[in-house]
Amino acid sequence: DIQMTQSPSSLSASVGDRVTITCRASQSIIKYLNWYQQKPGKAPNLLIYGASGLHSGVPSRFSGSGSGTDFTLTISSLQPEDFATYYCQQTDNIPFTFGPGTTVEIK
Amino acid sequence: QVQLQESGPGVVKPSETLSLTCGVSGGSVSRYYWNWIRQSPGKGLEWIGCISQSGSTKYNPSLKSRVTISVDRSKNQFSLNLSSVTAADTAVYYCARDWGYDSNGFGGWFDPWGQGTRVTVSS
């Protein structure tokens, strides 16, 4: 299985801060990397597909980059509705696997 | 737009079979791949498997011996059966559409997701 790791596991930030979350795959996944946002009690929602594609309706303050094994999700200016848990996912190989998540909390 | 809704029992006895259905509205199960994912505090998000528009399936090897995913085009829904359940199968189960994949079903992304259904394995 391809193992996905994320760092940090959690972070505290203020509204307006720039936030960067890193995701690393245990082997190359080319650009088959997606990012999801999940709020408590809700299903995950797609933010970024194919490492850098912004899903329809997602604010432009979210961006993704990377290829191979190293990827990042950046929130350029954190908003109150962005406090949530973020997961990366690879769909390059079976089984599709998710990272353990990064929780963004209010400072 | 496409909406998904999971349904099924909230409690399943150990050693029995967990059966869930995902109803699809606003779109056809005869297009795209359709996935089951579960989430438990201990294991995070775990992909269970998927079924394609042609009926071919892919399963997580860790669950493959116990999982069956099928599609009912007449009802526009797809289903998950997980046999011989134990407490470790207690989780919130989600269904999700997969799209953007290549000709072999890889490289896609999951959107939308159903709201999820909590399943507890308990006697």
Side-chain angles (χ1 to χ4, degrees), chain A residues 34 36 38 43 87 89 91 96, chain B residues 39 47 94 107-111 114:
Chain A
N34 308 312
Y36 300 88
Q38 186 178 34
Y87 296 94
Q89 176 209 28
T91 55
F96 300 150
Chain B
Q39 185 172 32
W47 177 76
Y94 296 100
W109 45 90
F110 294 1
D111 176 73

Side-chain angles (χ1 to χ4, degrees), chain A residues 32 34 36 38 42-44 46 49-50 55 87 89 91-96 98, chain B residues 37 39 45 47 58-61 94 98 102 105-111 113-114:
Chain A
Y32 294 158
N34 308 312
Y36 300 88
Q38 186 178 34
K42 301 292 187 181
L46 178 68
Y49 62 89
H55 182 51
Y87 296 94
Q89 176 209 28
T91 55
D92 178 67
N93 223 325
I94 298 293
F96 300 150
F98 294 85
Chain B
I37 307 102
Q39 185 172 32
L45 286 162
W47 177 76
K58 293 182 174 66
Y59 297 134
N60 190 322
Y94 296 100
D98 187 350
D102 63 18
F106 295 96
W109 45 90
F110 294 1
D111 176 73
W113 296 54

Side-chain angles (χ1 to χ4, degrees), chain A residues 33-37 45-55 58-59 62-65 72-74 87 89, chain B residues 109:
Chain A
L33 189 283
N34 308 312
W35 290 97
Y36 300 88
Q37 178 194 67
N45 283 319
L46 178 68
L47 295 175
I48 302 289
Y49 62 89
S52 59
L54 187 67
H55 182 51
V58 174
F62 290 92
S63 64
S65 65
T72 59
L73 172 70
T74 300
Y87 296 94
Q89 176 209 28
Chain B
W109 45 90

Side-chain angles (χ1 to χ4, degrees), chain A residues 34 36 44 46 55-56 89 91 96, chain B residues 1-6 22-37 47 49-51 53 78 94-101 108-114:
Chain A
N34 308 312
Y36 300 88
L46 178 68
H55 182 51
S56 175
Q89 176 209 28
T91 55
F96 300 150
Chain B
Q1 75 262 19
V2 174
Q3 293 185 310
L4 307 181
Q5 177 69 60
E6 305 89 348
C22 182
V24 179
S25 59
S28 171
V29 291
S30 295
R31 296 184 64 194
Y32 305 110
Y33 277 65
W34 303 91
N35 291 261
W36 286 100
I37 307 102
W47 177 76
C50 65
I51 188 164
Q53 59 267 49
F78 61 105
Y94 296 100
C95 56
R97 182 183 65 173
D98 187 350
W99 56 300
Y101 44 82
W109 45 90
F110 294 1
D111 176 73
W113 296 54

Side-chain angles (χ1 to χ4, degrees), chain B residues 3-15:
Chain B
Q3 293 185 310
L4 307 181
Q5 177 69 60
E6 305 89 348
S7 60
V11 180
V12 181
K13 290 182 168 57
S15 80

